Amino acid sequence: MNNSQIARRMQSVRPSPTAAISDRVRALEAAGRQVINLGEGELDFATPAHISYAGIEAIVQQQTKYTAVAGTATLKAAIAAKFARDNQLHYRPEEIIAGSGAKQLIFNALLATLDAGQQVIIPAPYWVSYPDMVRLAEGEPVIVPCSEQSGWKLTPEQLARALTPATRWLILNSPGNPTGAIYSAEELRALADLLTDYPQVLIMADDIYEPLRYDNTPFASFAQAAPQMTGRTLTVNGVSKSHAMTGWRLGYAGGPQWLIAAMQILQSQSTSNPSSISQAAAVAALNHPAAFLGDWLETLDQRRQQVLRMVAATDGLSASAPQGAFYLFARCTGLLGRTTPTGETLHDDSALANWLLEQTQVAVLHGSAFGMPGYLRIAYAVEDGLLAQACQRISDACAQLR
Ligand SMILES: Cc1ncc(COP(=O)(O)O)c(C=O)c1O
């Protein structure tokens, strides 16, 4: 196959930068280099044992056949109970869908609703996949850069400026990747107030990092904060980040029945049901209290503090404390334009991230990948000893720049 045979729609899509860095890390490791990967968006913790055993039990009990496309009745009941318990959102089974990761559900929702040229408001910095998914669905991403001063959050003034008659979706991700920013219920309500005049706009609430919060920061889902918006909100969640289950590929969403039905049709003609085994494991995840969460958060918080200390002590780097998720989004403009010991000038965040990888064997992601040049995303959900080594290597390397 050559380039002329690849569909035109592919021209607007880039490979996921997170997947690209992981490929690069694997290649360096295959060449015998010891890389510490702070680029990966997943917890290093094991999937809790009771969840894994539920998956094994499903295999042994022959729950290994097709299920209903949107998930088994048992899983839907567990999802409905989770939404009611944690978010005071009350969805009927026809308003719930499970898919192969939150990623698939977001993609299906956009594909099912966007006509060519319709706009999707995406606050930046954003999760890398949103704009490409919008473009694949022939929509137009409208990127709104948010500022560190506003806590990396979209303000009502910015939303007011971005809304047009062509707006179809607003995507909100809280706690956010890559900044860990969390919207308060009041902030969500202020955004919702503006949307009253735009009844055609749907809201995607990507809550995938919901339980991973620090300093007792409260959480509100969009439709929970603004119940009048429930009929046009898709609440997306999953077990990838909450239960260290990225490889199980199980996400879920609640929303208006017409939208869920359309997403289900797409799913029925593409991937069908998510893995029956992962569904059984997700039932165990959602139905049991997350007794492990306290320990996880304590560990993650210590790591967050460790990376914050390193950044504060490194000339040229700075960051505010993230409230959630497991990423630190560090400003690196103070290092840009500086020269390496071998005479290379690091003009942008991408050059800096590449140099750090080559020089120190530590992988981090450049802010431009998230629509915010001049920053680095440091994922700190890696084992303590490795994280300490990585921090040391980053600060030593940065000290060599002139
Ligand atoms: C903000 C955000 N949404 C969605 C996803 C997708 O999660 P899943 O593993 O459930 O597909 C990710 C994964 O990195 C993410 O960071």
PDB file of all heavy atoms in Angstrom, residues 146-180:
ATOM      1  N   CYS A 146      -6.341  27.596  27.621  1.00  0.00           N
ATOM      2  CA  CYS A 146      -6.615  28.055  28.986  1.00  0.00           C
ATOM      3  C   CYS A 146      -5.284  28.421  29.635  1.00  0.00           C
ATOM      4  O   CYS A 146      -4.231  27.975  29.209  1.00  0.00           O
ATOM      5  CB  CYS A 146      -7.314  26.962  29.785  1.00  0.00           C
ATOM      6  SG  CYS A 146      -8.892  26.508  29.046  1.00  0.00           S
ATOM      7  N   SER A 147      -5.363  29.222  30.705  1.00  0.00           N
ATOM      8  CA  SER A 147      -4.102  29.704  31.267  1.00  0.00           C
ATOM      9  C   SER A 147      -3.836  29.036  32.609  1.00  0.00           C
ATOM     10  O   SER A 147      -4.763  28.585  33.307  1.00  0.00           O
ATOM     11  CB  SER A 147      -4.149  31.224  31.447  1.00  0.00           C
ATOM     12  OG  SER A 147      -5.025  31.527  32.508  1.00  0.00           O
ATOM     13  N   GLU A 148      -2.552  28.999  32.931  1.00  0.00           N
ATOM     14  CA  GLU A 148      -2.150  28.442  34.217  1.00  0.00           C
ATOM     15  C   GLU A 148      -2.781  29.274  35.339  1.00  0.00           C
ATOM     16  O   GLU A 148      -3.175  28.734  36.374  1.00  0.00           O
ATOM     17  CB  GLU A 148      -0.614  28.438  34.296  1.00  0.00           C
ATOM     18  CG  GLU A 148      -0.088  27.453  35.281  1.00  0.00           C
ATOM     19  CD  GLU A 148       1.420  27.221  35.155  1.00  0.00           C
ATOM     20  OE1 GLU A 148       2.055  27.684  34.185  1.00  0.00           O
ATOM     21  OE2 GLU A 148       1.956  26.570  36.067  1.00  0.00           O
ATOM     22  N   GLN A 149      -2.916  30.595  35.110  1.00  0.00           N
ATOM     23  CA  GLN A 149      -3.489  31.488  36.131  1.00  0.00           C
ATOM     24  C   GLN A 149      -4.932  31.107  36.451  1.00  0.00           C
ATOM     25  O   GLN A 149      -5.392  31.250  37.577  1.00  0.00           O
ATOM     26  CB  GLN A 149      -3.455  32.966  35.671  1.00  0.00           C
ATOM     27  CG  GLN A 149      -2.082  33.597  35.586  1.00  0.00           C
ATOM     28  CD  GLN A 149      -1.277  33.080  34.386  1.00  0.00           C
ATOM     29  OE1 GLN A 149      -1.845  32.577  33.419  1.00  0.00           O
ATOM     30  NE2 GLN A 149       0.035  33.163  34.451  1.00  0.00           N
ATOM     31  N   SER A 150      -5.668  30.643  35.449  1.00  0.00           N
ATOM     32  CA  SER A 150      -7.069  30.252  35.717  1.00  0.00           C
ATOM     33  C   SER A 150      -7.137  28.778  36.121  1.00  0.00           C
ATOM     34  O   SER A 150      -8.208  28.159  36.034  1.00  0.00           O
ATOM     35  CB  SER A 150      -7.949  30.518  34.494  1.00  0.00           C
ATOM     36  OG  SER A 150      -7.616  29.614  33.457  1.00  0.00           O
ATOM     37  N   GLY A 151      -6.002  28.236  36.552  1.00  0.00           N
ATOM     38  CA  GLY A 151      -5.976  26.836  36.987  1.00  0.00           C
ATOM     39  C   GLY A 151      -6.152  25.873  35.824  1.00  0.00           C
ATOM     40  O   GLY A 151      -6.613  24.759  36.015  1.00  0.00           O
ATOM     41  N   TRP A 152      -5.808  26.318  34.630  1.00  0.00           N
ATOM     42  CA  TRP A 152      -5.943  25.510  33.413  1.00  0.00           C
ATOM     43  C   TRP A 152      -7.408  25.213  33.094  1.00  0.00           C
ATOM     44  O   TRP A 152      -7.707  24.241  32.425  1.00  0.00           O
ATOM     45  CB  TRP A 152      -5.179  24.189  33.508  1.00  0.00           C
ATOM     46  CG  TRP A 152      -3.696  24.322  33.604  1.00  0.00           C
ATOM     47  CD1 TRP A 152      -2.915  23.878  34.625  1.00  0.00           C
ATOM     48  CD2 TRP A 152      -2.802  24.879  32.634  1.00  0.00           C
ATOM     49  NE1 TRP A 152      -1.590  24.137  34.360  1.00  0.00           N
ATOM     50  CE2 TRP A 152      -1.498  24.754  33.140  1.00  0.00           C
ATOM     51  CE3 TRP A 152      -2.976  25.487  31.385  1.00  0.00           C
ATOM     52  CZ2 TRP A 152      -0.373  25.203  32.442  1.00  0.00           C
ATOM     53  CZ3 TRP A 152      -1.871  25.936  30.692  1.00  0.00           C
ATOM     54  CH2 TRP A 152      -0.583  25.794  31.234  1.00  0.00           C
ATOM     55  N   LYS A 153      -8.324  26.084  33.579  1.00  0.00           N
ATOM     56  CA  LYS A 153      -9.739  25.787  33.364  1.00  0.00           C
ATOM     57  C   LYS A 153     -10.373  26.800  32.419  1.00  0.00           C
ATOM     58  O   LYS A 153     -10.020  27.983  32.421  1.00  0.00           O
ATOM     59  CB  LYS A 153     -10.470  25.773  34.709  1.00  0.00           C
ATOM     60  CG  LYS A 153     -10.100  24.540  35.530  1.00  0.00           C
ATOM     61  CD  LYS A 153     -10.798  24.497  36.864  1.00  0.00           C
ATOM     62  CE  LYS A 153      -9.963  25.096  37.953  1.00  0.00           C
ATOM     63  NZ  LYS A 153     -10.490  24.829  39.296  1.00  0.00           N
ATOM     64  N   LEU A 154     -11.326  26.318  31.642  1.00  0.00           N
ATOM     65  CA  LEU A 154     -12.078  27.167  30.723  1.00  0.00           C
ATOM     66  C   LEU A 154     -12.924  28.134  31.544  1.00  0.00           C
ATOM     67  O   LEU A 154     -13.655  27.713  32.449  1.00  0.00           O
ATOM     68  CB  LEU A 154     -12.992  26.270  29.872  1.00  0.00           C
ATOM     69  CG  LEU A 154     -13.839  26.936  28.805  1.00  0.00           C
ATOM     70  CD1 LEU A 154     -12.957  27.410  27.641  1.00  0.00           C
ATOM     71  CD2 LEU A 154     -14.896  25.957  28.287  1.00  0.00           C
ATOM     72  N   THR A 155     -12.832  29.428  31.223  1.00  0.00           N
ATOM     73  CA  THR A 155     -13.644  30.403  31.951  1.00  0.00           C
ATOM     74  C   THR A 155     -14.944  30.658  31.172  1.00  0.00           C
ATOM     75  O   THR A 155     -14.991  30.437  29.954  1.00  0.00           O
ATOM     76  CB  THR A 155     -12.894  31.745  32.114  1.00  0.00           C
ATOM     77  OG1 THR A 155     -12.682  32.299  30.797  1.00  0.00           O
ATOM     78  CG2 THR A 155     -11.556  31.567  32.819  1.00  0.00           C
ATOM     79  N   PRO A 156     -15.985  31.140  31.852  1.00  0.00           N
ATOM     80  CA  PRO A 156     -17.235  31.456  31.138  1.00  0.00           C
ATOM     81  C   PRO A 156     -16.997  32.461  30.001  1.00  0.00           C
ATOM     82  O   PRO A 156     -17.608  32.334  28.936  1.00  0.00           O
ATOM     83  CB  PRO A 156     -18.128  32.057  32.233  1.00  0.00           C
ATOM     84  CG  PRO A 156     -17.616  31.460  33.508  1.00  0.00           C
ATOM     85  CD  PRO A 156     -16.131  31.306  33.318  1.00  0.00           C
ATOM     86  N   GLU A 157     -16.104  33.425  30.208  1.00  0.00           N
ATOM     87  CA  GLU A 157     -15.835  34.414  29.144  1.00  0.00           C
ATOM     88  C   GLU A 157     -15.269  33.723  27.913  1.00  0.00           C
ATOM     89  O   GLU A 157     -15.636  34.027  26.779  1.00  0.00           O
ATOM     90  CB  GLU A 157     -14.844  35.485  29.631  1.00  0.00           C
ATOM     91  CG  GLU A 157     -15.325  36.352  30.787  1.00  0.00           C
ATOM     92  CD  GLU A 157     -15.376  35.598  32.122  1.00  0.00           C
ATOM     93  OE1 GLU A 157     -14.535  34.697  32.342  1.00  0.00           O
ATOM     94  OE2 GLU A 157     -16.281  35.886  32.932  1.00  0.00           O
ATOM     95  N   GLN A 158     -14.344  32.794  28.141  1.00  0.00           N
ATOM     96  CA  GLN A 158     -13.757  32.075  27.006  1.00  0.00           C
ATOM     97  C   GLN A 158     -14.810  31.231  26.300  1.00  0.00           C
ATOM     98  O   GLN A 158     -14.847  31.166  25.072  1.00  0.00           O
ATOM     99  CB  GLN A 158     -12.617  31.166  27.490  1.00  0.00           C
ATOM    100  CG  GLN A 158     -11.362  31.916  27.886  1.00  0.00           C
ATOM    101  CD  GLN A 158     -10.294  30.963  28.394  1.00  0.00           C
ATOM    102  OE1 GLN A 158     -10.539  30.169  29.304  1.00  0.00           O
ATOM    103  NE2 GLN A 158      -9.118  31.012  27.808  1.00  0.00           N
ATOM    104  N   LEU A 159     -15.670  30.591  27.082  1.00  0.00           N
ATOM    105  CA  LEU A 159     -16.708  29.760  26.468  1.00  0.00           C
ATOM    106  C   LEU A 159     -17.650  30.627  25.642  1.00  0.00           C
ATOM    107  O   LEU A 159     -18.007  30.279  24.513  1.00  0.00           O
ATOM    108  CB  LEU A 159     -17.476  28.990  27.550  1.00  0.00           C
ATOM    109  CG  LEU A 159     -18.634  28.133  27.034  1.00  0.00           C
ATOM    110  CD1 LEU A 159     -18.147  27.064  26.051  1.00  0.00           C
ATOM    111  CD2 LEU A 159     -19.391  27.463  28.183  1.00  0.00           C
ATOM    112  N   ALA A 160     -18.008  31.790  26.198  1.00  0.00           N
ATOM    113  CA  ALA A 160     -18.930  32.681  25.490  1.00  0.00           C
ATOM    114  C   ALA A 160     -18.346  33.075  24.132  1.00  0.00           C
ATOM    115  O   ALA A 160     -19.067  33.130  23.126  1.00  0.00           O
ATOM    116  CB  ALA A 160     -19.208  33.920  26.334  1.00  0.00           C
ATOM    117  N   ARG A 161     -17.036  33.334  24.114  1.00  0.00           N
ATOM    118  CA  ARG A 161     -16.396  33.731  22.850  1.00  0.00           C
ATOM    119  C   ARG A 161     -16.330  32.576  21.851  1.00  0.00           C
ATOM    120  O   ARG A 161     -16.358  32.774  20.653  1.00  0.00           O
ATOM    121  CB  ARG A 161     -14.980  34.260  23.107  1.00  0.00           C
ATOM    122  CG  ARG A 161     -14.960  35.723  23.538  1.00  0.00           C
ATOM    123  CD  ARG A 161     -13.568  36.329  23.386  1.00  0.00           C
ATOM    124  NE  ARG A 161     -12.577  35.670  24.217  1.00  0.00           N
ATOM    125  CZ  ARG A 161     -12.339  35.984  25.491  1.00  0.00           C
ATOM    126  NH1 ARG A 161     -13.024  36.943  26.060  1.00  0.00           N
ATOM    127  NH2 ARG A 161     -11.419  35.335  26.183  1.00  0.00           N
ATOM    128  N   ALA A 162     -16.214  31.348  22.358  1.00  0.00           N
ATOM    129  CA  ALA A 162     -16.005  30.193  21.468  1.00  0.00           C
ATOM    130  C   ALA A 162     -17.310  29.645  20.889  1.00  0.00           C
ATOM    131  O   ALA A 162     -17.309  29.009  19.836  1.00  0.00           O
ATOM    132  CB  ALA A 162     -15.270  29.087  22.232  1.00  0.00           C
ATOM    133  N   LEU A 163     -18.425  29.872  21.589  1.00  0.00           N
ATOM    134  CA  LEU A 163     -19.711  29.302  21.135  1.00  0.00           C
ATOM    135  C   LEU A 163     -20.177  29.972  19.844  1.00  0.00           C
ATOM    136  O   LEU A 163     -20.121  31.202  19.717  1.00  0.00           O
ATOM    137  CB  LEU A 163     -20.773  29.500  22.221  1.00  0.00           C
ATOM    138  CG  LEU A 163     -20.705  28.547  23.420  1.00  0.00           C
ATOM    139  CD1 LEU A 163     -21.526  29.102  24.588  1.00  0.00           C
ATOM    140  CD2 LEU A 163     -21.187  27.144  23.042  1.00  0.00           C
ATOM    141  N   THR A 164     -20.645  29.169  18.892  1.00  0.00           N
ATOM    142  CA  THR A 164     -21.219  29.697  17.653  1.00  0.00           C
ATOM    143  C   THR A 164     -22.444  28.845  17.307  1.00  0.00           C
ATOM    144  O   THR A 164     -22.649  27.795  17.926  1.00  0.00           O
ATOM    145  CB  THR A 164     -20.228  29.596  16.459  1.00  0.00           C
ATOM    146  OG1 THR A 164     -20.175  28.224  16.033  1.00  0.00           O
ATOM    147  CG2 THR A 164     -18.828  30.082  16.798  1.00  0.00           C
ATOM    148  N   PRO A 165     -23.206  29.251  16.314  1.00  0.00           N
ATOM    149  CA  PRO A 165     -24.340  28.397  15.909  1.00  0.00           C
ATOM    150  C   PRO A 165     -23.872  27.020  15.416  1.00  0.00           C
ATOM    151  O   PRO A 165     -24.657  26.078  15.374  1.00  0.00           O
ATOM    152  CB  PRO A 165     -24.987  29.197  14.776  1.00  0.00           C
ATOM    153  CG  PRO A 165     -24.582  30.610  15.026  1.00  0.00           C
ATOM    154  CD  PRO A 165     -23.208  30.546  15.629  1.00  0.00           C
ATOM    155  N   ALA A 166     -22.578  26.904  15.052  1.00  0.00           N
ATOM    156  CA  ALA A 166     -22.071  25.615  14.545  1.00  0.00           C
ATOM    157  C   ALA A 166     -21.524  24.718  15.657  1.00  0.00           C
ATOM    158  O   ALA A 166     -21.083  23.597  15.393  1.00  0.00           O
ATOM    159  CB  ALA A 166     -20.974  25.867  13.503  1.00  0.00           C
ATOM    160  N   THR A 167     -21.534  25.198  16.904  1.00  0.00           N
ATOM    161  CA  THR A 167     -20.995  24.378  17.995  1.00  0.00           C
ATOM    162  C   THR A 167     -21.902  23.172  18.234  1.00  0.00           C
ATOM    163  O   THR A 167     -23.118  23.323  18.390  1.00  0.00           O
ATOM    164  CB  THR A 167     -20.916  25.191  19.308  1.00  0.00           C
ATOM    165  OG1 THR A 167     -20.229  26.407  19.056  1.00  0.00           O
ATOM    166  CG2 THR A 167     -20.179  24.392  20.384  1.00  0.00           C
ATOM    167  N   ARG A 168     -21.298  21.986  18.273  1.00  0.00           N
ATOM    168  CA  ARG A 168     -22.080  20.767  18.523  1.00  0.00           C
ATOM    169  C   ARG A 168     -21.754  20.168  19.888  1.00  0.00           C
ATOM    170  O   ARG A 168     -22.601  19.588  20.531  1.00  0.00           O
ATOM    171  CB  ARG A 168     -21.760  19.761  17.404  1.00  0.00           C
ATOM    172  CG  ARG A 168     -22.605  18.527  17.435  1.00  0.00           C
ATOM    173  CD  ARG A 168     -24.050  18.844  17.063  1.00  0.00           C
ATOM    174  NE  ARG A 168     -24.827  17.638  16.898  1.00  0.00           N
ATOM    175  CZ  ARG A 168     -25.963  17.387  17.554  1.00  0.00           C
ATOM    176  NH1 ARG A 168     -26.446  18.251  18.405  1.00  0.00           N
ATOM    177  NH2 ARG A 168     -26.635  16.270  17.338  1.00  0.00           N
ATOM    178  N   TRP A 169     -20.465  20.294  20.294  1.00  0.00           N
ATOM    179  CA  TRP A 169     -20.038  19.695  21.563  1.00  0.00           C
ATOM    180  C   TRP A 169     -19.128  20.657  22.323  1.00  0.00           C
ATOM    181  O   TRP A 169     -18.368  21.422  21.723  1.00  0.00           O
ATOM    182  CB  TRP A 169     -19.187  18.430  21.324  1.00  0.00           C
ATOM    183  CG  TRP A 169     -19.898  17.169  20.989  1.00  0.00           C
ATOM    184  CD1 TRP A 169     -20.120  16.668  19.739  1.00  0.00           C
ATOM    185  CD2 TRP A 169     -20.448  16.191  21.894  1.00  0.00           C
ATOM    186  NE1 TRP A 169     -20.766  15.458  19.810  1.00  0.00           N
ATOM    187  CE2 TRP A 169     -20.977  15.134  21.122  1.00  0.00           C
ATOM    188  CE3 TRP A 169     -20.538  16.107  23.289  1.00  0.00           C
ATOM    189  CZ2 TRP A 169     -21.591  14.017  21.694  1.00  0.00           C
ATOM    190  CZ3 TRP A 169     -21.145  15.001  23.857  1.00  0.00           C
ATOM    191  CH2 TRP A 169     -21.667  13.969  23.067  1.00  0.00           C
ATOM    192  N   LEU A 170     -19.176  20.514  23.621  1.00  0.00           N
ATOM    193  CA  LEU A 170     -18.139  21.065  24.505  1.00  0.00           C
ATOM    194  C   LEU A 170     -17.555  19.871  25.244  1.00  0.00           C
ATOM    195  O   LEU A 170     -18.309  19.087  25.833  1.00  0.00           O
ATOM    196  CB  LEU A 170     -18.750  22.053  25.507  1.00  0.00           C
ATOM    197  CG  LEU A 170     -17.874  22.409  26.718  1.00  0.00           C
ATOM    198  CD1 LEU A 170     -16.613  23.163  26.289  1.00  0.00           C
ATOM    199  CD2 LEU A 170     -18.664  23.242  27.735  1.00  0.00           C
ATOM    200  N   ILE A 171     -16.223  19.730  25.189  1.00  0.00           N
ATOM    201  CA  ILE A 171     -15.589  18.626  25.918  1.00  0.00           C
ATOM    202  C   ILE A 171     -14.961  19.170  27.195  1.00  0.00           C
ATOM    203  O   ILE A 171     -14.170  20.108  27.166  1.00  0.00           O
ATOM    204  CB  ILE A 171     -14.507  17.927  25.049  1.00  0.00           C
ATOM    205  CG1 ILE A 171     -15.146  17.340  23.787  1.00  0.00           C
ATOM    206  CG2 ILE A 171     -13.813  16.829  25.853  1.00  0.00           C
ATOM    207  CD1 ILE A 171     -14.207  16.511  22.911  1.00  0.00           C
ATOM    208  N   LEU A 172     -15.340  18.572  28.311  1.00  0.00           N
ATOM    209  CA  LEU A 172     -14.747  18.944  29.603  1.00  0.00           C
ATOM    210  C   LEU A 172     -14.149  17.706  30.239  1.00  0.00           C
ATOM    211  O   LEU A 172     -14.805  16.659  30.310  1.00  0.00           O
ATOM    212  CB  LEU A 172     -15.819  19.521  30.529  1.00  0.00           C
ATOM    213  CG  LEU A 172     -16.378  20.893  30.159  1.00  0.00           C
ATOM    214  CD1 LEU A 172     -17.525  21.260  31.097  1.00  0.00           C
ATOM    215  CD2 LEU A 172     -15.295  21.965  30.197  1.00  0.00           C
ATOM    216  N   ASN A 173     -12.912  17.813  30.683  1.00  0.00           N
ATOM    217  CA  ASN A 173     -12.216  16.671  31.278  1.00  0.00           C
ATOM    218  C   ASN A 173     -11.741  17.096  32.665  1.00  0.00           C
ATOM    219  O   ASN A 173     -10.882  17.950  32.789  1.00  0.00           O
ATOM    220  CB  ASN A 173     -11.040  16.294  30.352  1.00  0.00           C
ATOM    221  CG  ASN A 173     -10.116  15.255  30.952  1.00  0.00           C
ATOM    222  OD1 ASN A 173      -8.907  15.283  30.733  1.00  0.00           O
ATOM    223  ND2 ASN A 173     -10.658  14.318  31.706  1.00  0.00           N
ATOM    224  N   SER A 174     -12.323  16.459  33.680  1.00  0.00           N
ATOM    225  CA  SER A 174     -12.007  16.832  35.068  1.00  0.00           C
ATOM    226  C   SER A 174     -12.091  15.587  35.953  1.00  0.00           C
ATOM    227  O   SER A 174     -13.117  14.906  35.911  1.00  0.00           O
ATOM    228  CB  SER A 174     -13.007  17.892  35.540  1.00  0.00           C
ATOM    229  OG  SER A 174     -12.909  18.137  36.923  1.00  0.00           O
ATOM    230  N   PRO A 175     -11.044  15.284  36.719  1.00  0.00           N
ATOM    231  CA  PRO A 175      -9.696  15.854  36.705  1.00  0.00           C
ATOM    232  C   PRO A 175      -9.063  15.693  35.314  1.00  0.00           C
ATOM    233  O   PRO A 175      -9.321  14.712  34.631  1.00  0.00           O
ATOM    234  CB  PRO A 175      -8.940  15.018  37.742  1.00  0.00           C
ATOM    235  CG  PRO A 175      -9.998  14.403  38.617  1.00  0.00           C
ATOM    236  CD  PRO A 175     -11.186  14.206  37.733  1.00  0.00           C
ATOM    237  N   GLY A 176      -8.255  16.677  34.950  1.00  0.00           N
ATOM    238  CA  GLY A 176      -7.813  16.752  33.565  1.00  0.00           C
ATOM    239  C   GLY A 176      -6.453  16.127  33.299  1.00  0.00           C
ATOM    240  O   GLY A 176      -5.560  16.149  34.139  1.00  0.00           O
ATOM    241  N   ASN A 177      -6.336  15.587  32.124  1.00  0.00           N
ATOM    242  CA  ASN A 177      -5.059  15.168  31.561  1.00  0.00           C
ATOM    243  C   ASN A 177      -4.710  16.221  30.527  1.00  0.00           C
ATOM    244  O   ASN A 177      -5.535  16.438  29.621  1.00  0.00           O
ATOM    245  CB  ASN A 177      -5.238  13.786  30.903  1.00  0.00           C
ATOM    246  CG  ASN A 177      -4.005  13.302  30.180  1.00  0.00           C
ATOM    247  OD1 ASN A 177      -2.956  13.925  30.231  1.00  0.00           O
ATOM    248  ND2 ASN A 177      -4.134  12.182  29.481  1.00  0.00           N
ATOM    249  N   PRO A 178      -3.607  16.932  30.590  1.00  0.00           N
ATOM    250  CA  PRO A 178      -2.391  16.629  31.341  1.00  0.00           C
ATOM    251  C   PRO A 178      -2.162  17.476  32.606  1.00  0.00           C
ATOM    252  O   PRO A 178      -1.059  17.424  33.153  1.00  0.00           O
ATOM    253  CB  PRO A 178      -1.303  17.017  30.316  1.00  0.00           C
ATOM    254  CG  PRO A 178      -1.870  18.242  29.654  1.00  0.00           C
ATOM    255  CD  PRO A 178      -3.354  17.990  29.580  1.00  0.00           C
ATOM    256  N   THR A 179      -3.144  18.260  33.061  1.00  0.00           N
ATOM    257  CA  THR A 179      -2.821  19.225  34.122  1.00  0.00           C
ATOM    258  C   THR A 179      -3.311  18.814  35.504  1.00  0.00           C
ATOM    259  O   THR A 179      -2.904  19.418  36.501  1.00  0.00           O
ATOM    260  CB  THR A 179      -3.451  20.605  33.823  1.00  0.00           C
ATOM    261  OG1 THR A 179      -4.874  20.435  33.845  1.00  0.00           O
ATOM    262  CG2 THR A 179      -3.020  21.143  32.475  1.00  0.00           C
ATOM    263  N   GLY A 180      -4.223  17.854  35.589  1.00  0.00           N
ATOM    264  CA  GLY A 180      -4.798  17.481  36.880  1.00  0.00           C
ATOM    265  C   GLY A 180      -5.832  18.476  37.379  1.00  0.00           C
ATOM    266  O   GLY A 180      -6.308  18.360  38.513  1.00  0.00           O
TER     267      GLY A 180
END
